[in-house]
Amino acid sequence: MVPTMGALHDGHVSLMDRARALGDHVVVSIFVNPLQFGDASDLAKYPSDLDGDLDICRRAGVDLVWAPSIDHMYPDGFATRVSVTGVSEPFEGRHRPGHFDGVATVVTKLFAVIRPDGAVFGAKDFQQVAVIKRLSADLGLPVGIDVAPTVRDHDGLALSSRNARLDPASRSRALAIPRSLTAVEKAWRSGVRHTDELETILAAELLGLDVDYASVVDPQTLSTRRDDHAPAVALVAATVGSVRLIDNTVLD
Ligand code: PAF
């Protein structure tokens, strides 16, 4: 299964290709989940193009698309929330309160309805993957969680449905995000291991953007690294124009 919110792009197609390689049948769900949007205007701005999405799924050889209505997913009286503590709390959790409860609730419901053997998620949403892995392990969900690498445009920007809302000037400013990640990867390769130094390198490229966070943390716990020998992930969230973008790189 590939859970999506539609507005499909090549990043989603890479998830579908991966799902096809892993399973006998591929199901894609398309559902813009209102529970994971704190801000009604962000939900209203979320792009949607069901016909275009269905074409993409057809071309990618998807066997079944499930695109339920909001009433179908959350009928009157729906009163359940699934909440993952810990990894959901910093970063996106702090900046988008309730977001991960919405994600955990909808993913649990999508898994319960479709009952896939496995589900493929994109590495761009690093914290989402951490939350879903925790959810799946804690509830003993019989669904293998697979993570596909981030797909980038020719200029390095990670593919995201939100990119469609970047005007050319904002898009070129947004390139500071992949540049910051490349800079930190380069520093890591040249032996820099200290969190403060890595974060300084990250931040230097992001000057001028409205940055929510640019942090280097432990990839398992998303908290402070134990020491300089510990693995690391660099996480960035910034708003460019009116578009909030996230990206990351695992340093290993
Ligand atoms: O990553 C997404 O598109 C969404 O958060 C997901 C996993 C489909 C849940 O709505």
Side-chain angles (χ1 to χ4, degrees):
M1 169 173 204
V2 180
T4 81
M5 296 205 298
L8 302 178
H9 50 64
D10 285 351
H12 294 109
V13 173
S14 80
L15 307 184
M16 296 171 199
D17 289 346
R18 203 163 161 112
R20 237 201 356 258
L22 290 170
D24 299 322
H25 301 283
V26 177
V27 179
V28 167
S29 62
I30 298 178
F31 179 63
V32 182
N33 173 32
L35 284 192
Q36 68 189 76
F37 289 83
D39 181 352
S41 69
D42 196 25
L43 172 61
K45 282 188 285 189
Y46 204 82
S48 122
D49 171 16
L50 186 58
D51 288 340
D53 289 347
L54 292 176
D55 272 349
I56 290 174
C57 291
R58 220 171 268 125
R59 275 186 269 124
V62 168
D63 297 287
L64 179 80
V65 172
W66 191 50
S69 65
I70 293 183
D71 289 347
H72 194 103
M73 283 294 276
Y74 303 128
D76 273 354
F78 186 93
T80 298
R81 290 289 182 282
V82 179
S83 187
V84 176
T85 58
V87 285
S88 70
E89 288 164 23
F91 304 113
E92 291 304 289
R94 188 165 309 130
H95 288 273
R96 304 180 67 189
H99 169 67
F100 285 125
D101 287 0
V103 170
T105 303
V106 80
V107 167
T108 306
K109 177 134 187 179
L110 292 170
F111 285 180
V113 174
I114 301 292
R115 288 188 255 163
D117 297 311
V120 186
F121 295 89
K124 185 177 80 71
D125 297 305
F126 188 90
Q127 192 174 7
Q128 169 169 281
V129 168
V131 168
I132 291 168
K133 282 184 171 167
R134 187 76 260 163
L135 163 75
S136 187
D138 288 356
L139 298 187
L141 302 179
V143 181
I145 306 298
D146 184 72
V147 184
T150 300
V151 179
R152 296 183 180 279
D153 232 325
H154 60 94
D155 54 9
L157 194 66
L159 295 192
S160 160
S161 308
R162 290 168 189 262
N163 294 356
R165 286 171 36 221
L166 290 168
D167 59 40
S170 303
R171 186 176 172 109
S172 108
R173 290 176 61 220
L175 297 184
I177 298 174
R179 256 200 325 270
S180 71
L181 298 174
T182 307
V184 89
E185 283 167 1
K186 199 169 154 212
W188 181 272
R189 276 199 304 274
S190 70
V192 180
R193 290 290 182 276
H194 195 59
T195 299
D196 286 350
E197 274 179 70
L198 293 165
E199 287 186 344
T200 304
I201 291 161
L202 201 55
E205 292 288 342
L206 297 169
L207 289 173
L209 295 194
D210 179 5
V211 178
D212 280 344
Y213 54 81
S215 302
V216 174
V217 291
D218 184 295
Q220 293 298 322
T221 60
L222 299 196
S223 56
T224 310
R225 291 164 71 219
R226 243 184 1 269
D227 55 50
D228 287 353
H229 302 293
V233 60
L235 301 171
V236 173
T239 301
V240 190
S242 60
V243 186
R244 189 170 183 279
L245 300 170
I246 60 171
D247 204 345
N248 69 81
T249 188
V250 175
L251 302 166
D252 206 349

